[in-house]
């Protein structure tokens, strides 16, 4: 017990020091205070609305929900399939990449301290539960305020949702660490890969066969994963059943699946401790690898070994010119190594090919246009995340970026120009065949590439502002989620709702995307203005 108290005391000191660092500059507190006030106001207003909501309004909402029961079933099945894909992806990832709960500072401090290795490992595995549950709780507090009047939310329901996602996220780390530990002793990765491949094929067959046998494929494919007995499927089914507490209020089922998670966590932790032994060498290797990846992300260096498809190709690319054009040339060369062509490579063709397949299936009435629309929206979300993960922002803090004899606007344009070309080319290659084959509205050819670009630039703006605008890593860790949340709740969600409203009024998907474009154009313009202000301050370290 004293050893756990020592480890806890160490983390409390670290937390207190980081809080003191924030208080050194009171201006840093403004974003946090703003977000806290926003949450409190928004949730309180949502609660008041739920108290004042009339029975007629509730009855009207109930009728609407009854009418779209089939759609809800398909959405539930689609989310379940997505969760299954995430689970299998994480398990596959565990067979290729080591996992560590530690940093190099922990290795240097803890592994030389008189604390038992098993206690160190147990403490850090349990500690990883805190951000999983805390992040889930904060996320659901954000998103549930506006719908409280319809769902009649309370603390127990929010806790059920937070537990469902938090426990699912937490349990993945012990599973991956156990696989890593067993592999260091018994070299089980080849066997695990074979089992995962076979299991993935079985899951795919069990999803596709009901779809093929049903009158409508998109309804039948969710018959298995959407059924009530799928709640007993490990992890994915458990979490879904806990979320459905919002609908059925079954406290016994919620408690039962929570207990199942707890028992599985105890079993995994026990197995890890039994098989880990003196795991210092393994942890040191995986921790060092993790720290190297952190440094690459911090300096925004691209790992060609990880993402490159064409790294060994001998390149003969002539210079494009002098000045800020060198930034575009540098990105062009790097893009040529990451893919077979910097403008339209393999990744672009895969994304466009998926849209082509969905368009063909909808043309022959095997799928509805809704699946194609859903994929287009998913692609927009992926490009927003791609903007958040922009990998060459570190160039802005290097001397050559500052010393290039060109205007800041020219530097920024050449820094982002290749990404703009790639985004527009992907949008055109994706939407043009889909419009022709699936007989969609021709306006999508103009609207979809524009929306794709707006979301990418918004994500890029968030990444640039947080990486170039804040020097302290602690600020970046705290500010980035807040900025992303602000962009979501003040930009993306209002524009999305405007698109949904336009789609409902017109019953045309193109007008829905147009409504989103109008809203996102304002958000993107604000982010670009903020970007230019930060870029102009980088030279003097005022940002």
């Amino acid at each position: 017990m004293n050893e756990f108290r020592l480890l806890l005391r160490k983390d409390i000191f670290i937390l207190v020091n980081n809080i003191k660092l924030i208080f050194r500059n009171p201006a840093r507190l403004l974003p946090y205070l703003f977000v806290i006030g926003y949450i409190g106001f928004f949730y309180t207003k949502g609660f008041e609305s739920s108290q004042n909501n009339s029975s007629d309004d509730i009855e009207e909402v109930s009728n609407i929900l009854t009418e779209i029961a089939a759609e809800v079933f398909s959405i539930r099945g689609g989310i379940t399939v997505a969760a299954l894909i995430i689970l299998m992806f994480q398990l596959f990832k565990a067979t290729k990449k080591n996992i560590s709960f530690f940093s190099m500072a922990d290795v240097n401090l803890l592994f030389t301290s008189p604390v038992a290795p098993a206690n160190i490992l147990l403490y850090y595995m349990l500690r990883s539960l805190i951000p999983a549950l805390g992040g889930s709780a904060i996320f659901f507090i954000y998103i549930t305020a506006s719908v409280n009047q319809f769902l009649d939310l309370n603390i127990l329901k929010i806790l059920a949702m937070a537990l469902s996602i938090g426990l699912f996220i937490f349990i993945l780390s012990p599973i991956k660490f156990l696989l890593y530990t067993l592999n260091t002793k018994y070299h089980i990765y080849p066997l695990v890969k074979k089992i995962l491949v076979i299991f993935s094929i079985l899951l795919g067959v069990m999803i596709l066969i009901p779809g093929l046998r049903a009158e409508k494929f998109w309804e039948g494919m969710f018959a298995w994963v959407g059924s009530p007995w799928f709640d007993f499927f490990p992890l994915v089914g458990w979490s879904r059943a806990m979320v459905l507490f919002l609908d059925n209020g079954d406290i016994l089922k919620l408690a039962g699946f929570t207990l199942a998670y707890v028992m599985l966590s105890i079993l995994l932790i026990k197995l890890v401790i039994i098989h880990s032994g003196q795991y210092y060498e393994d942890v040191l290797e995986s921790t060092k690898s993790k720290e190297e990846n952190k440094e690459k992300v911090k300096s925004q260096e691209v790992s060609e070994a990880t993402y490159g498809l064409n790294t060994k190709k001998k390149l003969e690319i002539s210079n494009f010119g002098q000045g800020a054009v060198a930034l575009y040339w540098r990105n062009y060369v790097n893009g040529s190594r990451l893919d077979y062509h910097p403008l339209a490579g393999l990744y672009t063709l895969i994304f466009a090919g998926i849209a082509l397949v969905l368009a063909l299936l909808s043309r022959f009435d095997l799928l509805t246009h809704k699946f194609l629309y859903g994929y287009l929206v998913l692609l927009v979300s992926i490009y927003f995340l791609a903007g958040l993960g922009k990998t060459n922002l570190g160039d802005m803090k290097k001397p050559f970026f500052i010393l290039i004899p060109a205007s800041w606007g020219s530097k920024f344009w050449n820094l982002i120009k290749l990404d703009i070309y790639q985004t527009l080319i992907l949008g055109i290659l994706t939407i043009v065949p889909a419009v022709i084959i699936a007989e969609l509205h021709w306006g999508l050819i103009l609207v979809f590439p524009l929306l794709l670009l707006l979301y990418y630039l918004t994500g890029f703006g968030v990444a640039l502002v947080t990486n170039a605008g804040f020097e302290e890593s602690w600020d970046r860790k705290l500010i980035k989620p807040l900025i992303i949340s602000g962009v979501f709740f003040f930009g993306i969600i209002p524009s999305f709702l405007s698109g949904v409203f336009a789609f409902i009024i017109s019953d045309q998907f193109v007008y829905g995307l147009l409504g989103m474009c109008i809203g996102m154009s304002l958000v993107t313009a604000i982010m670009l203005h903020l970007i230019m202000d930060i870029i102009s301050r980088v030279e003097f370290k005022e940002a």
Side-chain angles (χ1 to χ4, degrees), residues 131-296:
L133 293 179
S136 300
I138 293 173
F139 174 75
F140 282 115
I141 288 174
Y142 264 120
I143 67 173
T144 54
S146 60
V147 295
N148 184 40
Q149 55 183 318
F150 303 121
L151 298 179
D152 191 21
L153 295 174
N154 52 40
I155 295 177
L156 185 58
K157 289 183 178 181
I158 295 176
L159 178 62
M161 292 188 293
L163 284 174
S164 66
I165 304 300
L167 290 175
F168 179 78
I169 295 173
F170 162 75
I171 205 70
L172 293 175
S173 295
I175 292 175
K176 292 191 287 187
F177 196 83
L178 178 60
L179 291 176
Y180 168 62
T181 302
L182 293 176
N183 183 68
T184 58
K185 270 190 168 184
Y186 309 111
H187 305 287
I188 65 169
Y189 275 172
L191 176 61
V192 173
K193 289 180 181 179
K194 292 179 182 178
I195 294 175
L196 290 177
V197 169
I198 295 173
F199 189 61
S200 299
I201 294 174
L202 290 176
L203 286 176
V205 170
M206 296 179 74
I207 293 173
L208 291 176
I209 288 179
L212 295 174
R213 296 185 60 183
E215 182 178 353
K216 294 183 178 181
F217 177 79
W218 62 90
E219 294 179 358
M221 67 182 295
F222 298 134
W224 176 63
V225 296
S227 60
W229 72 267
F230 189 81
D231 292 346
F232 297 94
F233 188 90
L235 305 185
V236 175
W238 300 351
S239 290
R240 191 188 70 175
M242 295 169 70
V243 171
L244 291 179
F245 177 78
L246 293 173
D247 181 50
N248 53 42
D250 192 340
I251 189 67
L252 293 178
K253 183 177 288 188
L254 173 64
F257 287 119
T258 303
L259 181 62
Y261 263 118
V262 172
M263 294 178 63
L264 179 60
S265 301
I266 294 173
L267 177 62
L268 289 172
I269 292 173
K270 185 68 176 178
L271 289 174
V272 168
I273 293 175
I274 291 174
H275 293 282
S276 62
Q278 298 291 335
Y279 56 93
Y280 287 162
E281 292 184 4
D282 295 333
V283 167
L284 181 60
E285 179 183 355
S286 58
T287 303
K288 183 179 179 181
S289 176
K290 186 181 74 171
E291 289 294 325
E292 290 176 350
N293 292 333
K294 273 187 175 181
E295 289 299 322
K296 289 179 180 179

Side-chain angles (χ1 to χ4, degrees), residues 298-301 327 330-331 390-404 408-416 460-471 527-528 530-543:
K298 190 174 181 180
S299 60
Q300 300 298 327
E301 295 176 0
L327 295 172
R330 191 169 185 267
N331 291 336
K390 181 64 178 175
T391 55
N392 67 340
L393 298 181
D395 290 352
M396 290 179 44
K397 294 187 177 181
K398 294 179 180 178
F400 66 80
F401 183 85
I402 298 173
L403 296 175
I404 289 176
W408 298 113
S410 177
K411 293 177 185 179
F412 173 71
W413 164 244
N414 283 278
L415 183 67
I416 199 69
F460 173 80
V462 173
L464 189 146
V465 169
T466 53
N467 282 277
F470 298 92
E471 293 291 335
M527 294 305 300
L528 290 177
L530 184 59
I531 286 171
M532 292 306 303
D533 181 64
I534 288 179
I535 289 178
S536 63
R537 295 171 180 265
V538 167
E539 179 180 4
F540 305 102
K541 298 188 182 298
E542 296 177 356

Side-chain angles (χ1 to χ4, degrees), residues 462-481:
V462 173
L464 189 146
V465 169
T466 53
N467 282 277
F470 298 92
E471 293 291 335
E472 297 290 342
S473 60
W474 183 256
D475 284 342
R476 288 195 294 267
K477 290 178 182 178
L478 292 178
I479 292 294
K480 188 171 184 178

Side-chain angles (χ1 to χ4, degrees), residues 283-508:
V283 167
L284 181 60
E285 179 183 355
S286 58
T287 303
K288 183 179 179 181
S289 176
K290 186 181 74 171
E291 289 294 325
E292 290 176 350
N293 292 333
K294 273 187 175 181
E295 289 299 322
K296 289 179 180 179
V297 173
K298 190 174 181 180
S299 60
Q300 300 298 327
E301 295 176 0
V302 177
S303 175
E304 294 182 350
T306 304
Y307 303 104
L309 299 175
N310 204 24
T311 55
K312 296 182 179 180
K313 179 181 178 181
K314 184 178 180 181
L315 299 177
E316 296 181 358
I317 301 175
S318 59
N319 293 333
F320 296 158
Q322 297 178 349
V325 181
L327 295 172
Y328 174 64
W329 178 86
R330 191 169 185 267
N331 291 336
Y332 193 92
V333 172
N334 187 59
S336 300
R337 294 193 180 281
L338 295 179
D339 210 335
Y340 294 103
H341 194 278
L343 295 177
L346 180 62
Y347 294 126
T348 300
L349 296 179
I350 290 175
F351 283 130
I354 294 174
L356 178 63
V357 171
L358 292 175
L360 289 171
L361 292 175
S362 63
R363 179 64 180 266
F364 294 104
D365 294 329
L366 296 176
L367 290 176
T368 63
H369 286 164
K370 293 179 181 178
F371 281 86
L372 180 57
Y373 296 156
Y375 174 71
L376 295 179
V377 174
L378 175 63
L379 203 57
V380 170
S381 303
I382 291 174
Y383 259 67
F384 174 74
L385 296 177
L388 286 176
K390 181 64 178 175
T391 55
N392 67 340
L393 298 181
D395 290 352
M396 290 179 44
K397 294 187 177 181
K398 294 179 180 178
F400 66 80
F401 183 85
I402 298 173
L403 296 175
I404 289 176
S407 65
W408 298 113
S410 177
K411 293 177 185 179
F412 173 71
W413 164 244
N414 283 278
L415 183 67
I416 199 69
K417 181 164 63 173
L418 180 64
D419 299 320
I420 292 177
Y421 290 165
Q422 291 173 339
T423 304
L424 292 177
I425 290 173
L426 171 69
I428 293 172
L429 292 179
T430 300
I431 198 62
V432 171
V435 168
I436 296 174
I437 295 173
E439 297 180 345
L440 304 179
H441 195 287
W442 285 92
L444 287 173
I445 296 178
L446 297 176
V447 175
F448 176 72
L450 176 60
L451 184 64
L452 204 65
L453 181 61
L454 291 175
Y455 269 86
Y456 178 80
L457 290 176
T458 301
F460 173 80
V462 173
L464 189 146
V465 169
T466 53
N467 282 277
F470 298 92
E471 293 291 335
E472 297 290 342
S473 60
W474 183 256
D475 284 342
R476 288 195 294 267
K477 290 178 182 178
L478 292 178
I479 292 294
K480 188 171 184 178
L482 297 181
I483 293 179
I484 294 174
S485 300
V487 171
F488 261 101
F489 288 101
F490 294 105
I492 293 178
I493 290 181
S495 65
F496 178 77
L497 293 178
S498 65
V500 172
F501 179 75
F503 174 72
I504 294 174
I505 296 299
S506 64
D507 197 25
Q508 292 286 333

Side-chain angles (χ1 to χ4, degrees), residues 93-121:
K93 188 177 178 181
T95 62
K96 295 182 179 181
K97 186 177 180 181
N98 299 337
I99 182 173
S100 175
F101 298 95
F102 307 97
S103 65
M104 289 304 296
D106 296 326
V107 172
N108 296 329
L109 175 65
L110 298 177
F111 290 176
T112 57
S113 65
V115 180
N119 289 338
I120 296 175
L121 182 59

